[in-house]
Amino acid sequence: MERCVRCVLCAHRPQEAGKSPPDRQDGNVSHYPPHSPSSSVYPGYPPPPSPTRERVFGPLLVASVLCTGLMAGLFFAYDVSVMPGLAELDDRTYAVAMQRFNAVIDGSGLFGLVFIAALGLTVASAIVAFRRKRLAVAVPLVVAAVCYLAVLVITVAVNLPLNAELADLGNPATAEDLPAVIEDFKSVWVPANVVRTLLCVVSLGALCSAVLRYGRVSGSFPR
């Protein structure tokens, strides 16, 4: 009887502000607060994302976009201004200008850093996305990495050997078969650079898609 009186008193006691009503199981009143699902650890559920990884992933994506955008802009500038302008010059002036352009770019540490970092940062972002089980973000990152890898392959297999062949001419004023060398250079180097530009643009677009998807998943952008 004493137990029943206590239960009745507890049931009619005014609830304090901010506290949930007691659990009722099998007609009995529980005097313990209900367990919150978020405070319990259930086997089989993935752990919450690490704040450190969350802070790293965003800057990785931004750096990938910046480096890839810089490379796309460089190739695009050659397509629409540098190469069309050189095409209006005679073969000797064309060869001298390209030799100097290539020498400056090959000796630029900043260019080499951005050129390699664009791929490295994108691959690192894709790895982090896969490890965090964010496939919606990882898929466009893989597309971006593959496209930019193709840019590196074309550069090493096509553009760099042509640059070296042009440099081996020495002084274009005394070079033999200059018109034939320049014609071969134009017919291969220029189209290859157009392909590099297109691949970089596709890679940049995929990176932007990954940024948007990451923003929606993380709650930074509206759905």
Side-chain angles (χ1 to χ4, degrees):
M1 178 66 67
E2 181 181 355
R3 179 183 176 185
C4 295
V5 170
R6 283 206 303 261
C7 292
V8 171
L9 291 177
C10 291
H12 290 81
R13 182 182 302 169
Q15 298 179 3
E16 297 180 5
K19 290 187 177 181
S20 58
D23 292 340
R24 299 178 182 272
Q25 297 178 355
D26 301 330
N28 296 325
V29 179
S30 174
H31 300 282
Y32 298 95
H35 294 286
S36 173
S38 60
S39 62
S40 303
V41 178
Y42 298 97
Y45 281 72
S50 170
T52 302
R53 290 184 180 179
E54 194 72 27
R55 288 194 296 266
V56 170
F57 190 51
L60 270 179
L61 280 178
V62 173
S64 302
V65 171
L66 290 177
C67 290
T68 305
L70 287 172
M71 294 308 306
L74 175 65
F75 296 144
F76 181 71
Y78 267 85
D79 291 334
V80 300
S81 61
V82 176
M83 304 314 292
L86 291 178
E88 298 178 0
L89 304 176
D90 59 90
D91 291 342
R92 177 179 173 275
T93 307
Y94 185 101
V96 170
M98 282 303 300
Q99 285 176 340
R100 293 181 179 178
F101 290 156
N102 294 333
V104 171
I105 291 180
D106 292 343
S108 173
L110 180 60
F111 167 78
L113 177 63
V114 175
F115 186 62
I116 300 300
L119 179 62
L121 292 169
T122 304
V123 172
S125 300
I127 292 174
V128 173
F130 272 115
R131 293 184 65 179
R132 298 192 59 202
K133 310 298 183 183
R134 290 186 170 177
L135 296 182
V137 181
V139 170
L141 288 174
V142 171
V143 174
V146 170
C147 290
Y148 195 84
L149 179 61
V151 172
L152 264 66
V153 171
I154 293 173
T155 300
V156 173
V158 179
N159 295 90
L160 290 182
L162 289 173
N163 293 343
E165 183 180 349
L166 194 62
D168 292 339
L169 285 175
N171 187 358
T174 59
E176 298 180 358
D177 300 329
L178 180 61
V181 173
I182 295 301
E183 185 62 29
D184 291 341
F185 184 90
K186 291 180 180 179
S187 62
V188 179
W189 198 98
V190 175
N193 192 70
V194 173
V195 174
R196 290 194 299 181
T197 303
L198 294 175
L199 288 171
C200 274
V201 170
V202 174
S203 179
L204 182 60
L207 285 171
C208 292
S209 175
V211 170
L212 292 175
R213 295 184 181 194
Y214 170 70
R216 290 168 183 167
V217 169
S218 63
S220 301
F221 301 152
R223 295 181 179 274

